[in-house]
Amino acid sequence: MDDSLNYAEYTVDKKAEGKNLHKRFLMIALYLLAIAAIVVLIAVTQGGAALLGGILFVLVVALIFFTWRLVKEERKYEVANAKLKIQEINGSGKAKVVFENLVSEFALIAPMTDEYKEKFEKADEFHDYRGNSKSKDSYFARLEKDGKSTVVCFEATNKMLKVMTFYNKRATVVTLMSH
């Protein structure tokens, strides 16, 4: 982490909604199915497979431990070295950079409100990297490059907006955030 004044970092958990919610339901169904299979195995063998059932139960617990993190996601926003970098972090802690661009190149950085709705809805590319699609702190950055417009949605903090204003004062709209 950088301790300079022109650095901001914020991490949010991805809320269980949309595709992520479906993945979580499928994982829970898989876990319940595995446990039910163990119970049925023990019941059918009238306890004769209790040792095997115990071993399978331990394996299911290990399965839960290692697979649940596949549906636990985080978003990390970082403004450093004049760039906005957005990373997706899965439960194993491995970060994957999904977006990175100079803050000074954005045509507009503004809150996702009705006032700016036209600016973020009418884009050639739309990337939503918010942890929660209903967040009060939702912001978007619009990039115009090579005749193509790209909109990137993220959750902002007061410090992030201050740093973004430092790098791109003319395009950054600052509102009071809850963080």
Side-chain angles (χ1 to χ4, degrees):
M1 184 167 113
D2 191 345
D3 289 330
S4 72
L5 295 174
N6 293 326
Y7 177 84
E9 169 183 315
Y10 184 57
T11 305
V12 295
D13 286 330
K14 174 79 174 122
K15 184 178 177 198
E17 59 185 8
K19 203 162 52 167
N20 192 327
L21 183 63
H22 294 297
K23 283 198 281 187
R24 286 183 182 210
F25 279 139
L26 288 173
M27 289 300 241
I28 291 170
L30 172 72
Y31 303 151
L32 292 176
L33 187 64
I35 291 171
I38 293 169
V39 169
V40 167
L41 175 70
I42 292 171
V44 167
T45 60
Q46 297 174 352
L51 179 62
L52 178 63
I55 292 170
L56 289 176
F57 182 76
V58 170
L59 290 175
V60 168
V61 170
L63 174 78
I64 292 169
F65 178 77
F66 289 110
T67 59
W68 184 250
R69 53 179 143 171
L70 296 174
V71 294
K72 184 186 178 311
E73 299 173 4
E74 294 178 330
R75 306 279 196 252
K76 180 180 178 183
Y77 317 111
E78 183 178 38
V79 181
N81 301 323
K83 290 182 180 178
L84 169 64
K85 181 165 55 170
I86 301 174
Q87 301 174 51
E88 288 184 341
I89 305 168
N90 65 14
S92 64
K94 294 188 180 178
K96 178 176 117 182
V97 176
V98 291
F99 182 82
E100 186 171 15
N101 201 81
L102 286 171
V103 174
S104 60
E105 292 181 348
F106 290 118
L108 180 64
I109 301 167
M112 294 185 76
T113 60
D114 290 337
E115 181 180 351
Y116 300 101
K117 193 172 194 169
E118 182 180 301
K119 296 286 186 187
F120 66 81
E121 282 187 341
K122 295 182 180 174
D124 297 323
E125 284 186 44
F126 186 84
H127 304 283
D128 192 349
Y129 298 119
R130 296 174 291 170
N132 179 357
S133 62
K134 294 173 178 60
S135 173
K136 303 178 296 210
D137 298 334
S138 294
Y139 253 68
F140 73 94
R142 185 178 177 96
L143 181 65
E144 303 284 343
K145 219 179 211 180
D146 302 327
K148 217 168 108 176
S149 59
T150 303
V151 168
V152 177
C153 303
F154 58 96
E155 291 182 44
T157 64
N158 291 319
K159 179 155 184 174
M160 278 178 71
L161 293 175
K162 185 177 177 183
V163 174
M164 289 177 143
T165 301
F166 177 80
Y167 291 118
N168 193 347
K169 186 173 185 127
R170 65 169 176 72
T172 306
V173 178
V174 178
T175 58
L176 187 62
M177 299 286 104
S178 61
H179 293 92

